[in-house]
Amino acid sequence: MKKLFSSLLLILTIIFAVTATAQEKPIQLSLFNPIQIFPESSSIAGLRFNLIYGKNANVTGLDLGLVNQTTGTQTGVQWGFVNLNDNGFKGWQSGFVSVTKGSSLGLQTAAVNYHLGHFNGLQFSIVNYAATLKGLQIGLINIIGEGGFLPVFPIFNFDFD
């Protein structure tokens, strides 16, 4: 237990030390918006943990929770039951349902990936949708709105142009 506490303290110290600007907050804890440490207009650089629902402008780092919403961009790792990003992500997004607007780069894993913008990377899911894609989709149903190997194709779909 002492080692766990020491490790947690070390991680929190690193998160606080890495915070880039005074506008970015190093940690966010949320029961549901607006019951969270910092208001939804704040950007988080470090750790965001949402017990039920959390909403912030931008999140850089680790984003965990039941429902995670970012109105700006998400950079890093986002794991939640439902992930909602209004302006894309860079990194790894994983959950049961992920809905993202804007341009994104990285890995998206979920039961349903729904990307309303340009996605660059790998989508791995039961159902994948990307408005435009530069990369690969792997799943039972794979849909690319514009371009792609085919608009709809089972098991895989791709566009590398």
Side-chain angles (χ1 to χ4, degrees):
M1 186 69 171
K2 199 173 191 180
K3 283 186 178 184
L4 177 65
F5 180 74
S6 297
S7 298
L8 185 59
L9 186 60
L10 177 63
I11 290 169
L12 288 175
T13 303
I14 292 169
I15 289 170
F16 281 101
V18 170
T19 302
T21 68
Q23 288 83 15
E24 293 178 327
K25 309 301 181 192
I27 192 165
Q28 172 73 298
L29 298 173
S30 173
L31 180 59
F32 55 84
N33 186 35
I35 300 175
Q36 50 190 38
I37 295 174
F38 299 107
E40 67 182 62
S41 60
S42 300
S43 292
I44 308 302
L47 171 68
R48 180 171 78 161
F49 184 68
N50 307 307
L51 291 172
I52 298 173
Y53 168 67
K55 182 177 182 180
N56 285 101
N58 301 295
V59 177
T60 301
L62 183 59
D63 190 7
L64 304 170
L66 190 61
V67 179
N68 306 315
Q69 184 173 9
T70 305
T71 57
T73 58
Q74 165 70 39
T75 304
V77 176
Q78 185 178 49
W79 291 337
F81 189 73
V82 176
N83 298 308
L84 307 167
N85 289 314
D86 293 346
N87 200 22
F89 76 92
K90 291 179 183 173
W92 178 21
Q93 184 182 56
S94 183
F96 185 72
V97 175
S98 294
V99 178
T100 303
K101 301 173 188 172
S103 293
S104 296
L105 172 67
L107 172 65
Q108 196 174 32
T109 59
V112 176
N113 290 320
Y114 189 72
H115 201 284
L116 296 163
H118 180 69
F119 185 78
N120 189 349
L122 173 65
Q123 284 185 313
F124 185 79
S125 178
I126 296 169
V127 178
N128 292 304
Y129 172 84
T132 61
L133 175 77
K134 183 175 183 180
L136 176 65
Q137 295 176 323
I138 299 173
L140 291 179
I141 301 171
N142 302 289
I143 304 164
I144 303 174
E146 292 181 31
F149 171 63
L150 288 172
V152 179
F153 201 72
I155 310 304
F156 70 94
N157 205 349
F158 62 90
D159 191 350
F160 295 108
D161 290 331

